[in-house]
Every structure is written in structure tokens, then in C-alpha cells.
Amino acid sequence: MSEAGSTVPFDFSSYGGEIDDLATRGLADAAGAEGIRTAMARVTGRAEEVQASRLSANEQNLIACGPGCADCCRVNVTVLLPEAIAIAAYLEEIGKGDETNAITMRVADTAARVRWMEDDERIRAGVACPFLDGRGWCAIYPVRPLTCRALSSTDPEQCRRALAAHCSDEEETIVVNIFQKFLMEGTFQSLARAMERAGLDTTGRELCRSVTRCLLDPRLADDFLAGKRIKFPES
Ligand code: SF4
């Protein structure tokens, strides 16, 4: 592995193959939701390890994202089923009884609200991610989706302006760390490729809808691993 901030060009193709193998083996060995969560932890752990090893201290300092800064957590996030299953398993572990029920209701409520909303509409309506806690921290941070991991910004004000611009005709770009974006998006694609080859359901779906479905159906993880196409209610 190269040192942090290495100037040697990163081989995305070989990294993609590595994630593909990791996901293939992890999902083949997985039994139930906990097994899928372990497989996902290996995939995201490797992605985070590569990111940390490739970004120089200077680049890391430039990334302004941090606990409590959650302006971008108001857009629709697409996840693959293993990601949603891992999140549901994590919520069941950290929540207890009534707490898990309350989270399930909050996530289901958001899923219903954003069901037909494009990002622009959701930003205008100000529908925040239900996984944000009272401090604006991500309550599922260790298992957060790859799409969330791909996002970064060097300037929180720029994020706010870009979100506001979504609701008008103005244009505002966000300066992101492009390596992080490509790395996490590439990880998502490699995971999907491994799933497709294994004959698993590769449909990308909205985060809250997917997690709600996983929380409400204890058999879902086994059905997914058995190669069944998971049905979602139409409304
Ligand atoms: S899952 Fe976490 S990081 Fe992703 S949108 Fe929700 S609160 Fe933000």
C-alpha cells in the first residue's frame, strides 16, 4: 500500500477487482443479516482504508465535513440491499424495543414523504434524513451508505449556497475531493457487479424505503441471499 498522499496514479481497475472479490466472498459466506453486515463492513472498511492511505494530511485538512455539519443530508440517497440490511441490523443492535420501533416509524414516515420527490423538491421541503440525531450527527455513521461516503466538501458555506441554488435558477458548484468521490462510487459499482454475478437483487433503492422494508421483514436477508427479487410495495 502506498503512503498517504502518494502521487503514484491510483489503479481504480485493480481496486475494483479487489472489492469485487471481497464482496463476492463475503456475500457467499454470509448467513443472515449479521453475515451481510460483516461482508459490508469488510467492503467499506477496505474503501476507508484506501481513502486514508491515499489522501495527504493536507487534503484531509481541506475536507470541511464533520460531526454536526449535515446540510447535505437532505437529498435522496440510493442504496443496494446489502447496505440497507447492514443498517437495519445495526439499528436493531443499538436500539432497544421501543427505541427501535420509534426509529422504524420515523424512517418509514420519511420514506413515505420522499417517495415521489426529486432532490429539488425534497430540498425545498427541507426533509432531513431521519438518521440525523439531535446534534446533527449521523446515527448510523459506521454503516452509512457508500453514496454518503462519496460526498465531501471543502466549504460548508458553499454547500448551503448550492442547496439553496437547487431551489432557484442559479448555479453553484461544490468543490469535492474527487478521489474520495470516485473511490466510493467505484466501490458501489464493484459491489453491484459482485451481486449481479452471484445472481442477487442489484436494484438500487431509496435509503429510507429500503431500511424500512428490512426492519419490517426479518426474512428479507435470507430471501436476498437465496437470490429472490425483493418486492417492495408500490405505494
Ligand atoms: S445516512 Fe447519515 S450521512 Fe447519509 S444522509 Fe443520512 S444522516 Fe447523512
Side-chain angles (χ1 to χ4, degrees):
M1 174 59 58
S2 356
E3 289 177 19
S6 167
T7 51
V8 177
F10 184 71
D11 186 347
F12 278 99
S13 167
S14 117
Y15 170 75
E18 184 189 344
I19 291 295
D20 191 326
D21 284 351
L22 208 53
T24 300
R25 278 187 278 117
L27 290 172
D29 293 345
E34 274 308 321
I36 293 173
R37 185 176 157 197
T38 302
M40 284 309 303
R42 291 202 185 115
V43 166
T44 54
R46 180 66 186 135
E48 296 285 349
E49 187 182 43
V50 169
Q51 180 180 309
S53 74
R54 294 291 302 194
L55 296 193
S56 66
N58 197 28
E59 282 174 306
Q60 305 216 19
N61 286 341
L62 281 175
I63 294 176
C65 311
C69 179
D71 287 299
C72 62
C73 299
R74 280 163 180 75
V75 294
N76 294 322
V77 170
T78 297
V79 291
L80 295 168
L81 270 174
E83 297 184 278
I85 292 167
I87 292 168
Y90 179 76
L91 288 170
E92 273 162 3
E93 181 192 297
I94 62 167
K96 298 206 180 13
D98 291 350
E99 208 176 319
T100 307
N101 292 341
I103 291 174
T104 306
M105 282 170 65
R106 203 169 69 225
V107 178
D109 180 56
T110 306
R113 283 187 74 192
V114 304
R115 176 80 176 92
W116 304 107
M117 280 187 185
E118 298 291 339
D119 277 348
D120 289 7
E121 291 171 80
R122 180 166 173 177
I123 293 165
R124 266 197 299 276
V127 185
C129 179
F131 297 118
L132 285 176
D133 69 12
R135 301 164 297 175
W137 292 20
C138 176
I140 55 165
Y141 194 77
V143 288
R144 71 198 184 285
L146 287 161
T147 304
C148 301
R149 292 174 202 257
L151 280 180
S152 66
S153 166
T154 55
D155 180 354
E157 272 313 312
Q158 202 176 43
C159 282
R160 282 175 207 125
R161 285 198 302 273
L163 284 172
H166 253 287
C167 307
S168 68
D169 292 334
E170 291 166 36
E171 282 206 10
E172 176 78 41
T173 46
I174 302 176
V175 179
V176 302
N177 184 291
I178 204 74
F179 178 78
Q180 178 175 337
K181 178 175 158 58
F182 286 168
L183 184 78
M184 295 302 172
E185 288 178 352
T187 307
F188 184 100
Q189 284 155 11
S190 298
L191 171 63
R193 206 164 39 239
M195 288 162 56
E196 185 172 25
R197 237 194 1 266
L200 302 174
D201 184 346
T202 56
T203 314
R205 301 178 176 96
E206 193 274 320
L207 167 66
C208 299
R209 197 160 176 252
S210 301
V211 174
T212 302
R213 181 79 177 76
C214 296
L215 285 168
L216 293 176
D217 181 356
R219 288 196 336 266
L220 186 141
D222 289 333
D223 287 348
F224 165 74
L225 287 171
K228 294 188 184 161
R229 188 158 195 304
I230 306 300
K231 291 202 177 77
F232 277 62
E234 282 310 308
S235 57

